[in-house]
Amino acid sequence: MAVRRCMNCMKEFSVPEGYENQYLSCPHCGFVEGTPPKEPFHLYPGTLLQDRYLVGVVIGCGGFGITYKAWDIEFGVVVAIKEYFPAGLVSREPGQQKLNVYEGSRKNEFYQGLDRFLEEARRTAQFEHSKYIVQVKNFFQENNTAYIVMEYLDGGSLKEFLRNNPVLPVEDAISITDSVLGALKELHKEGILHRDIGPGNIFLSGRSIKIIDFGAARLSDETKEVTRSIVLTPGFAPPEQYQTKSKQGPWTDIYAVAATLYDMVTGKKPCESTDRLMDDMLLDPNRVNPQVPEYLSNAIMKGMAVNPEMRFRTVEEFSDAIHNNTKVLSPKEELKKRKKKRLLLIAAISCIVLAGIGVAAIGFISSYRKSHLRSATVRMWVPYDDEWTDRETAEAHYQSIFQTFSEKNPDVVLEMECIAESEYLGKLESAKQAGTLPDVFLTRVLDSDLLSEAETLENVYNDVELQNTENYYFLNQYRGNAGEAAEKALPTGINVPIVYCRFADTADSEMISKTRSASITDLGQMNSEESLGYFVSAKDYSMLINTFGGSYRYNDKLVLDDTASGLVTEMGKSNFKAEAPAASVTSDNAAYGKALDGIIAKAVGEGKIDYYVGDMRDLNRFESMAGMYVPRPVNADKIVLEFCDYWYINRKVRDDKDVQRAAEELLVYVMMEDAQHAMHMEGYRDAVPIRRAAFENVDTEDSNLSFVKDYMLKAEFLYENQAKEKEYSINLQRGVIIDKKDLREWLEEQ
């Protein structure tokens, strides 16, 4: 009687005579043989690697890798195999093993990541005898990628356990923490930081507790700032991990362990460390859970101090504190103690040197005033895309952007309010009418109606940072052509058209071949008989139509020339027919556009559209789809781009020169390289930074932006009221594309 091995539980079972050529259900776990993987780009169960490892079902999948359960034929044991599969850089045709790496600069990024992946394996392998760290048994390259073979841990992560047991007894929480600290002692002894300790990377397997996932691990450097990639788990990462350049050491991992212990004993995930920099509202653990003893509460809060200097320096110090072997003050009490000592020291020094201060002191004060802004409170409004992110994440993102500004200008208080885009423009308009606009505010597109309330930016443009216009894309062109807008609204980004082509279709190999090297030269190209069709986002009509040679300008009324009219008519012929939003939102253009976006997003997620014509703001959405769509350029003699992310200063700041100066310095700051990079290239990418270096220094590593450099060589811009133009575009899309009205008839109605 034949015997087979189940690709789910890895147990053997007998095959009755006559059923050798049929798929059967495993009698142990019920898994049906021949079941395809959940995603077409996963390796199929039964795949053999290195003529030794029999791949089973997927047990984990992230942005950079896929982890499979597998059987080691040589040793006869179950193992876990992690495959390097960076979403957005590669694809795999269903049923195949070899990866297809995208061309251009994305290939460079893939192989750089591959080196880091293998380095992760080497780092972890040196701890093969540790009882606290997952064991790496082998690693190798195959199928145009790499694999790490690890011990298979039967159990689940602490994160999964806490879902059903949100608050752990103090003794259990300390026991788990002891195992994590045991692992960190071994790592730190070798000069390695884990940098991503959190409930998701702590694995509970029977009585064994091990840390996993060394993808973020880096060598420790305690004496100088080192540039590192930003990989972290929100809520469990200290402020220094949000910076590409920072001093990191054992105290960096200690913050994460303390935050994890906080989560275990309170049942509350800690708020972002960057939020705490602005306003530390985190409650002490014993205030959330009275069962937590004061010594442990103090130890946790000291371990989570936002100032690295206030944290424990070694895991041994932290371990002693959580076991009550040493007395620890809370960070607040420690600060009081330090301030008292400092005041006594200052008083003593003052008595000694008072007579010798004289002119030197006056010179110091004068120098300070020249290099620091005076005391001021600046109210600032910024929007966030509430379709793709939440307020908490947006606030953390913006606070990380302005962290350096706040550090360099400690007397300036930034009162920043993040407002959902769905209500942002309405709130701005209401504030304009009421005369309560904030001191500084940001809009995604130019809204000419706000210019009457804005201060001129002469002082901003005269700053030495902006005097060298060669440092910026097209800033001179903007100032020379945008009229009043250039005087009062400062663009910090550039938006570009992008066509997202469906890539990972399970059967359409011709489509895969086309999108691998395609550029879009006309709309008809996207609507062949075989194509599912395309959809053009209304927000990008102007860029697309003008790029293809049409005139699509708005003054007091809608104007389309014959070419533009032809292009709009062509859009209505797409094989993809968008469903109209519910009647309940048809009375308002903004609500209609938002509802339609939701419908299209669902269709895109289900792979019902071959091409989506959008812009750089859509990049994050498509990257989250793990290779289903690939971004491709629009190819034309000219590429019409648009400035975006405009900053304004309220003209009422003239009443307070300190606030005015701080607001102007703030706008200078957002044009600097680090701020531009943080604003547009880290985390949520939505525009090309207008500061050249902020983009050019990274685009060779960013596969999705490789063709944008070519755009810059043939770029043209339109200067108009973008807010009104976008509103008209939604109206046009609604009337002609969705409701199928005749274009000329619709134009006459406007």
Side-chain angles (χ1 to χ4, degrees):
M1 185 176 289
V3 176
R4 291 184 191 161
R5 188 170 301 281
C6 173
M7 293 295 94
N8 181 54
C9 67
M10 293 297 164
K11 294 179 180 178
E12 289 186 331
F13 62 90
S14 300
V15 179
E17 291 186 13
Y19 289 85
E20 292 83 0
N21 297 322
Q22 296 184 27
Y23 288 139
L24 302 176
S25 297
C26 172
H28 305 293
C29 69
F31 180 76
V32 179
E33 294 181 302
T35 300
K38 292 181 179 179
E39 299 291 346
F41 53 86
H42 292 169
L43 288 174
Y44 275 60
T47 299
L48 188 64
L49 298 176
Q50 290 277 291
D51 293 323
R52 174 178 173 179
Y53 302 106
L54 195 61
V55 174
V57 296
V58 170
I59 55 177
C61 185
F64 294 94
I66 306 167
T67 303
Y68 304 88
K69 194 174 185 179
W71 180 256
D72 184 341
I73 297 172
E74 183 174 328
F75 290 144
V77 294
V78 180
V79 294
I81 297 182
K82 185 176 179 180
E83 177 184 48
Y84 176 57
F85 192 101
L89 303 183
V90 297
S91 68
R92 175 188 280 129
E93 297 180 21
Q96 300 299 308
Q97 297 182 32
K98 188 175 180 180
L99 296 193
N100 300 312
V101 182
Y102 297 165
E103 295 298 327
S105 62
R106 63 192 64 196
K107 182 175 286 188
N108 295 333
E109 185 177 353
F110 171 82
Y111 286 110
Q112 288 171 1
L114 184 66
D115 290 342
R116 290 194 294 269
F117 183 82
L118 292 170
E119 182 60 28
E120 173 191 347
R122 295 186 189 96
R123 285 198 198 97
T124 315
Q126 65 182 293
F127 301 101
E128 60 178 325
H129 300 300
S130 172
K131 66 177 183 178
Y132 301 118
I133 299 173
V134 64
Q135 294 179 10
V136 168
K137 298 176 176 293
N138 192 9
F139 55 93
F140 55 89
Q141 291 184 254
E142 190 174 331
N143 299 331
N144 206 19
T145 187
Y147 299 86
I148 301 175
V149 182
M150 301 172 287
E151 65 174 316
Y152 176 74
L153 299 174
D154 192 6
S157 70
L158 175 61
K159 182 178 180 179
E160 294 166 347
F161 184 76
L162 291 175
R163 287 197 187 108
N164 298 319
N165 307 273
V167 180
L168 301 187
V170 167
E171 296 77 12
D172 292 348
I174 291 178
S175 177
I176 292 171
T177 304
D178 283 340
S179 294
V180 177
L181 293 177
L184 291 179
K185 286 178 185 177
E186 297 177 13
L187 290 174
H188 293 175
K189 184 179 179 181
E190 299 300 322
I192 296 173
L193 304 178
H194 187 279
R195 300 203 316 142
D196 199 16
I197 294 293
N201 286 332
I202 299 171
F203 206 89
L204 312 180
S205 180
R207 294 185 177 181
S208 174
I209 299 171
K210 296 195 175 188
I211 64 171
I212 60 175
D213 196 341
F214 283 69
R218 295 292 183 270
L219 295 179
S220 173
D221 196 314
E222 305 176 15
T223 59
K224 63 181 180 180
E225 293 187 352
V226 176
T227 300
R228 299 176 174 88
S229 56
I230 297 178
V231 180
L232 50 81
T233 300
F236 300 92
E240 63 264 25
Q241 270 191 257
Y242 286 83
Q243 305 169 38
T244 53
K245 288 186 178 181
S246 63
K247 293 177 184 178
Q248 296 181 23
W251 54 85
T252 303
D253 282 339
I254 287 170
Y255 184 101
V257 181
T260 302
L261 182 51
Y262 185 102
D263 191 9
M264 286 191 282
V265 298
T266 66
K268 305 289 185 182
K269 176 184 172 182
C271 55
E272 289 270 30
S273 60
T274 48
D275 290 348
R276 297 177 60 208
L277 282 171
M278 305 294 290
D279 186 12
D280 195 351
M281 301 296 290
L282 186 68
L283 295 175
D284 289 0
N286 59 354
R287 290 187 60 190
V288 181
N289 178 8
Q291 300 302 314
V292 178
E294 184 178 6
Y295 78 85
L296 181 60
S297 183
N298 288 346
I300 292 172
M301 295 306 288
K302 182 176 175 64
M304 292 182 67
V306 290
N307 181 353
E309 299 298 324
M310 297 288 292
R311 280 178 235 148
F312 300 101
R313 308 312 287 171
T314 67
V315 292
E316 288 83 3
E317 289 180 7
F318 184 51
S319 179
D320 283 344
I322 65 174
H323 286 283
N324 202 21
N325 293 330
T326 183
K327 185 177 180 181
V328 173
L329 296 176
S330 70
K332 292 178 182 177
E333 291 298 320
E334 180 69 22
L335 275 174
K336 288 180 182 178
K337 184 177 178 180
R338 291 189 182 190
K339 284 180 180 179
K340 186 175 181 180
K341 285 184 177 180
R342 192 180 301 119
L343 287 171
L344 290 172
L345 179 62
I346 291 172
I349 294 174
S350 297
C351 291
I352 296 171
V353 303
L354 187 59
I357 294 179
V359 177
I362 297 173
F364 171 80
I365 294 171
S366 175
S367 173
Y368 180 87
R369 286 177 177 168
K370 287 180 181 177
S371 59
H372 292 71
L373 295 172
R374 295 170 63 90
S375 178
T377 298
V378 179
R379 291 177 58 239
M380 177 169 60
W381 284 3
V382 290
Y384 70 91
D385 189 340
D386 46 327
E387 184 179 354
W388 303 109
T389 191
D390 54 44
R391 189 186 308 275
E392 180 180 327
T393 304
E395 287 175 347
H397 175 60
Y398 278 116
Q399 285 167 0
S400 67
I401 291 171
F402 293 106
Q403 179 178 339
T404 301
F405 178 87
S406 296
E407 289 174 352
K408 291 185 176 180
N409 301 285
D411 294 327
V412 176
V413 176
L414 294 182
E415 290 187 350
M416 180 172 60
E417 183 176 354
C418 288
I419 303 169
E421 278 191 356
S422 57
E423 58 186 63
Y424 187 69
L425 291 179
K427 190 165 183 177
L428 278 175
E429 179 60 27
S430 297
K432 176 191 169 186
Q433 297 298 329
T436 58
L437 282 168
D439 303 313
V440 174
F441 50 97
L442 167 68
T443 63
R444 173 68 183 178
V445 299
L446 179 66
D447 190 340
S448 298
D449 293 343
L450 292 170
L451 296 178
S452 61
E453 304 299 317
E455 178 62 285
T456 61
L457 303 178
E458 181 180 358
N459 291 336
V460 175
Y461 287 125
N462 286 338
D463 190 279
V464 66
E465 281 291 333
L466 277 74
Q467 283 295 296
N468 187 359
T469 54
E470 290 301 313
N471 289 337
Y472 302 92
Y473 286 122
F474 313 111
L475 186 59
N476 260 344
Q477 189 173 331
Y478 172 74
R479 292 190 64 188
N481 293 278
E484 185 185 13
E487 296 176 11
K488 297 183 176 182
L490 181 69
T492 54
I494 296 173
N495 197 17
V496 302
I498 296 178
V499 181
Y500 298 89
C501 307
R502 184 174 56 84
F503 194 92
D505 186 271
T506 56
D508 194 349
S509 59
E510 182 182 348
M511 182 71 186
I512 291 174
S513 177
K514 280 195 301 183
T515 57
R516 186 170 295 144
S517 59
S519 61
I520 308 303
T521 56
D522 61 71
L523 295 180
Q525 175 186 344
M526 300 187 290
N527 206 38
S528 63
E529 290 183 7
E530 302 81 16
S531 170
L532 294 175
Y534 65 91
F535 187 83
V536 179
S537 172
K539 69 183 186 301
D540 301 304
Y541 278 10
S542 181
M543 282 196 295
L544 185 73
I545 288 174
N546 281 280
T547 290
F548 283 153
S551 178
Y552 188 76
R553 292 181 178 274
Y554 295 99
N555 293 316
D556 294 331
K557 62 180 181 178
L558 187 67
V559 177
L560 278 76
D561 65 6
D562 290 343
T563 301
S565 298
L567 288 166
V568 172
T569 301
E570 179 66 30
M571 290 179 201
K573 297 177 181 177
S574 170
N575 292 340
F576 173 75
K577 307 301 180 187
E579 175 188 345
S584 59
V585 298
T586 57
S587 60
D588 177 71
N589 261 359
Y592 182 93
K594 199 73 174 175
L596 183 60
D597 284 347
I599 292 170
I600 301 305
K602 184 174 184 292
V604 165
E606 295 172 351
K608 294 181 178 179
I609 304 174
D610 276 345
Y611 299 90
Y612 177 90
V613 184
D615 58 35
M616 194 164 165
R617 265 195 110 180
D618 301 302
L619 192 62
N620 300 281
R621 170 198 295 171
F622 286 95
E623 282 192 339
S624 69
M625 295 181 186
M628 283 181 63
Y629 287 79
V630 56
R632 300 305 309 155
V634 173
N635 189 13
D637 294 335
K638 66 175 181 179
I639 303 293
V640 174
L641 312 180
E642 60 184 19
F643 293 104
C644 60
D645 293 291
Y646 292 85
W647 291 84
Y648 310 73
I649 297 175
N650 189 338
R651 59 188 174 87
K652 290 186 178 180
V653 297
R654 301 172 191 168
D655 298 336
D656 189 326
K657 293 302 181 185
D658 291 335
V659 173
Q660 180 176 358
R661 181 61 182 148
E664 290 168 346
E665 282 294 314
L666 193 66
L667 264 60
V668 172
Y669 173 80
V670 298
M671 295 292 275
M672 294 182 181
E673 180 180 345
D674 287 348
Q676 285 265 296
H677 184 275
M679 193 180 305
H680 296 303
M681 302 303 296
E682 292 177 3
Y684 187 80
R685 292 175 297 162
D686 61 359
V688 175
I690 199 170
R691 182 85 177 218
R692 286 178 180 273
F695 173 68
E696 292 177 351
N697 289 348
V698 298
D699 77 329
T700 56
E701 302 172 6
D702 195 323
S703 63
N704 290 313
L705 304 178
S706 57
F707 54 80
V708 175
K709 221 171 183 183
D710 295 331
Y711 277 0
M712 298 304 176
L713 299 177
K714 46 187 178 180
E716 292 187 14
F717 292 86
L718 302 177
Y719 305 96
E720 55 197 28
N721 187 342
Q722 290 180 336
K724 188 159 288 186
E725 175 250 302
K726 303 294 183 188
E727 184 179 345
Y728 276 134
S729 296
I730 293 174
N731 201 7
L732 172 61
Q733 182 185 63
R734 176 179 176 178
V736 177
I737 308 300
I738 306 299
D739 294 343
K740 304 301 179 187
K741 286 187 178 181
D742 176 78
L743 177 59
R744 292 299 170 189
E745 179 183 336
W746 181 84
L747 282 170
E748 289 174 2
E749 294 175 358
Q750 304 312 305

